[in-house]
Amino acid sequence: MSDLDNGKAIYVSHCNKCHRYKVPQSRDETKWDDIIPKMAKKAKLDSEQESLVLKYVVTMSVHTTNGK
């Protein structure tokens, strides 16, 4: 499984427990860089999981925004 697949799996399984799932394209990299550390702490993710989730949401937000 790739880092992006792992990040997505963690995101999908943890990030809708307290609030509605947010699509990665709903925020830009700067916003995700601010949000993910706070949410990772609340979700009790370890640093590796946090990094994988951040990589996933940033990659997907940039990937879709650029129309690729």
Side-chain angles (χ1 to χ4, degrees):
M1 201 176 226
S2 74
D3 283 353
L4 289 180
D5 290 332
N6 285 329
K8 180 180 181 179
I10 296 164
Y11 185 65
V12 169
S13 68
H14 286 84
C15 296
N16 66 345
K17 290 181 179 178
C18 298
H19 55 76
R20 199 175 58 153
Y21 176 76
K22 308 291 185 203
V23 293
Q25 301 82 3
S26 66
R27 285 143 178 84
D28 64 18
E29 182 175 356
T30 303
K31 294 271 189 193
W32 285 123
D33 283 339
D34 185 49
I35 293 168
I36 294 299
K38 295 172 189 171
M39 295 296 105
K41 185 175 181 178
K42 288 182 180 185
K44 296 182 172 63
L45 301 182
D46 64 31
S47 61
E48 182 179 353
Q49 292 172 313
E50 179 183 337
S51 293
L52 289 168
V53 169
L54 183 59
K55 182 176 184 177
Y56 166 70
V57 295
V58 168
T59 299
M60 297 313 294
S61 69
V62 171
H63 183 75
T64 303
T65 303
N66 290 335
K68 296 180 184 174

